[in-house]
Amino acid sequence: MTSMSVADAIRTRRTIRHYRPDPVPAEALDTLIELAMEAPSSWNLQDRSLVVVTDAAGREGLTRATGGQPQPAEAPVMLVFVAEPHAWRADRSDIFELARGNRAWSEEFAAGFAAASTEFQQGLAERGLLREYAVKDAMIAASYVMLAATELGLATAPMNGWDEDEVKRVIGLDGCDDVAVALLMSVGYAAESRRHPGRRPLGRTVFHGAYPAR
């Protein structure tokens, strides 16, 4: 496989709805999973998880949950990105121990960081923003997967338009109101090619210093 730059991956990635039945090699899937979890997260909470669905029953369930969209039925792999808004309330000692062991954080920094992050999350809770922040972290991880998949010659489709309760039932989170489904993504080998529809000129969407007066 020819190495691809990040810029090339960004420019060549397209959303693919139809897939060949060829399985995704285990090594490639492992790479995607690892790179997804390398994505940054607010306060290094790592408040997002990934559910990998490859079995026929699970993909059939996701087909129903997405209203019959073709991706879950055709793609050999479906990824469900789960946001965990209340992860900050759980024991995070392993995160701090790992950072200290990697010499990324000193004891003093880790202690201060833990206190500051808890205070920040409490503020989010008071404003009803915990879910929003966790979903953002999950979406960053999904973006990493799309670019990594492009480099590996795989196609993806970030999917919207699904029944969250039904998705939760499929992945074993039925009735779990403390987590949220952030995104579904199909992964496989493209059975179609799609041309770039184009983007608006940067002058329409990029502003320096301030958003223009409305």
Side-chain angles (χ1 to χ4, degrees), residues 116-139:
S117 64
T118 296
E119 181 180 359
F120 181 80
Q121 297 297 318
Q122 288 171 337
L124 293 181
E126 292 169 1
R127 291 176 287 155
L129 295 176
L130 286 174
R131 185 184 190 278
E132 177 180 331
Y133 268 68
V135 168
K136 288 177 182 177
D137 282 353
M139 296 298 291

Side-chain angles (χ1 to χ4, degrees), residues 66-211:
T66 59
Q69 294 186 57
Q71 296 95 310
E74 297 182 13
V77 177
M78 286 296 300
L79 303 179
V80 182
F81 293 83
V82 177
E84 301 167 342
H86 300 283
W88 64 282
R89 304 182 193 274
D91 179 18
R92 291 179 283 150
S93 59
D94 62 313
I95 293 176
F96 297 115
E97 289 172 7
L98 185 60
R100 288 192 295 263
N102 287 334
R103 297 183 179 178
W105 297 354
S106 67
E107 292 286 347
E108 181 181 6
F109 179 86
F113 192 84
S117 64
T118 296
E119 181 180 359
F120 181 80
Q121 297 297 318
Q122 288 171 337
L124 293 181
E126 292 169 1
R127 291 176 287 155
L129 295 176
L130 286 174
R131 185 184 190 278
E132 177 180 331
Y133 268 68
V135 168
K136 288 177 182 177
D137 282 353
M139 296 298 291
I140 294 172
S143 297
Y144 270 46
V145 169
M146 286 189 286
L147 297 182
T150 302
E151 182 189 12
L152 293 172
L154 294 164
T156 57
M159 297 183 65
N160 232 327
W162 28 262
D163 184 306
E164 183 169 35
D165 290 336
E166 185 63 30
V167 172
K168 285 183 176 181
R169 277 191 284 273
V170 173
I171 62 173
L173 289 174
D174 191 17
C176 296
D177 296 330
D178 59 337
V179 296
V181 175
L183 189 75
L184 272 62
M185 184 184 297
S186 52
V187 181
Y189 292 99
E192 63 177 351
S193 61
R194 288 184 174 266
R195 297 182 66 86
H196 195 327
R199 294 292 185 264
R200 283 177 162 174
L202 296 183
R204 287 285 302 273
T205 56
V206 179
F207 313 105
H208 299 275
Y211 197 86

